[in-house]
Amino acid sequence: MTDISNLKISWFQISYLNIKKSNYGRFLTFRHLMTMQAGLDWEEEYHHPFAENSKQYFVNNLEEQTLGVKMKQMPGESYEYQSVSAQLLGIALKKAIGKSLADYLSEKLWKPLQMEFPAKWSVDEQGLEKAFCCLHAIPRDFAKIGQLIMQDGNWNGKQILSREYCKKLQTPTRENNAFCFNIWADEDSTTKYRFFYGFLGQFIIMVPSKNLVIVKSGFYNRLEVDDKKTSITSPFISRRNYWII
């Protein structure tokens, strides 16, 4: 898999609507989207049923909604978690690879890792994957993804992801040491770890020093977080469903 994080989104001839009209849009890269530094004019609101990111779950055309978002500042200047960045990332990636995200995931990860069961990815009415969420799989298969990253992309002697790219995925950014490339980080605890964090409290937790991966799928999302959304109450203590590989 090729590292395209520094490529500009504008290279892929996407009909940007408001983003394309902005003076900032031509500077937007995959890296900005992956590290939540896109500079989009988007408020992440989880409590109102008709907030824009709530609408992401039920609008008929996610691409139209996503590309209608304006930019408010130069990309790369500051960190702000925005789920629409993940959706725009998915749209741009689909354009770059020339196939659906689900097919690409199947080809690059699901089949090489010999997952135990097929996965399901929720889509909108146009068939576009909801890149900001909603990949449904069993915990043990999710655990394999965490183990793959923790093993620097190597699986049974085969390099599925590049070692350099896996290191980058787990490296906190200068703007927010609690966030890497779409992966969260805890650098403050005695035992440092990385984790994927789902909206409803789903986790893939990677603890390199223990060679340990924990997957939690329970409905539990009452973690205390600081301004950077760094976990303070450790997800390890949850008494919900988890798998260890």
Side-chain angles (χ1 to χ4, degrees):
M1 298 178 73
T2 304
D3 183 359
I4 60 174
S5 58
N6 290 319
L7 293 184
K8 293 180 179 179
I9 304 301
S10 57
W11 290 2
F12 295 99
Q13 304 299 314
I14 299 173
S15 299
Y16 277 110
L17 301 180
N18 287 323
I19 294 175
K20 191 173 183 179
K21 297 175 185 177
S22 168
N23 291 330
Y24 304 131
R26 61 193 177 97
F27 298 103
L28 187 63
T29 67
F30 281 84
R31 182 188 189 280
H32 295 137
L33 295 173
M34 294 180 73
T35 58
M36 295 296 164
Q37 299 173 36
L40 299 174
D41 189 6
W42 175 275
E43 181 181 357
E44 196 75 4
E45 166 60 62
Y46 294 107
H47 303 292
H48 196 293
F50 298 109
E52 285 304 307
N53 56 301
S54 297
K55 291 179 182 179
Q56 287 180 303
Y57 291 94
F58 58 81
V59 293
N60 291 331
N61 193 321
L62 261 175
E63 183 168 346
E64 182 178 332
Q65 182 206 31
T66 302
L67 300 183
V69 176
K70 298 179 180 179
M71 297 192 69
K72 62 182 179 182
Q73 66 184 56
M74 180 69 74
E77 289 189 346
S78 62
Y79 165 88
E80 182 179 0
Y81 187 90
Q82 299 174 322
S83 56
V84 71
S85 290
Q87 188 59 46
L88 180 55
L89 177 66
I91 293 170
L93 181 59
K94 180 180 179 182
K95 184 73 173 180
I97 60 180
K99 62 182 68 175
S100 73
L101 299 180
D103 285 346
Y104 192 65
L105 179 66
S106 176
E107 174 190 334
K108 297 297 184 179
L109 286 184
W110 229 254
K111 291 178 180 177
L113 292 179
Q114 298 180 315
M115 298 302 199
E116 295 184 20
F117 289 93
K120 179 180 180 181
W121 203 334
S122 295
V123 298
D124 68 3
E125 294 297 323
Q126 317 305 314
L128 177 66
E129 293 87 352
K130 297 179 180 179
F132 65 95
C133 80
C134 311
L135 178 63
H136 311 281
I138 65 169
R140 188 170 293 278
D141 286 343
F142 277 134
K144 284 186 175 183
I145 295 175
Q147 190 70 32
L148 174 69
I149 293 173
M150 204 164 60
Q151 293 175 177
D152 295 332
N154 191 283
W155 192 263
N156 291 334
K158 182 177 180 181
Q159 201 67 37
I160 295 176
L161 299 175
S162 77
R163 178 182 297 271
E164 294 74 18
Y165 189 65
C166 286
K167 293 294 186 185
K168 178 181 286 188
L169 287 176
Q170 301 175 74
T171 302
T173 62
R174 179 185 59 193
E175 293 76 11
N176 180 4
N177 63 6
F179 200 77
C180 309
F181 279 65
N182 282 339
I183 294 177
W184 296 91
D186 188 328
E187 290 286 281
D188 300 324
S189 299
T190 302
T191 301
K192 295 175 172 54
Y193 57 94
R194 301 289 184 264
F195 57 101
F196 293 92
Y197 184 12
F199 168 56
L200 295 177
Q202 309 94 327
F203 287 92
I204 304 175
I205 305 164
M206 297 161 282
V207 192
S209 64
K210 306 292 185 182
N211 192 28
L212 178 67
V213 175
I214 300 173
V215 174
K216 187 182 79 65
S217 60
F219 186 88
Y220 182 89
N221 195 25
R222 296 192 297 274
L223 299 179
E224 295 181 39
V225 294
D226 66 12
D227 290 340
K228 292 182 178 180
K229 291 183 171 58
T230 307
S231 174
I232 295 175
T233 303
S234 173
F236 288 94
I237 67 173
S238 172
R239 291 177 293 178
R240 300 285 171 165
N241 301 325
Y242 63 87
W243 284 67
I244 299 176
I245 187 170

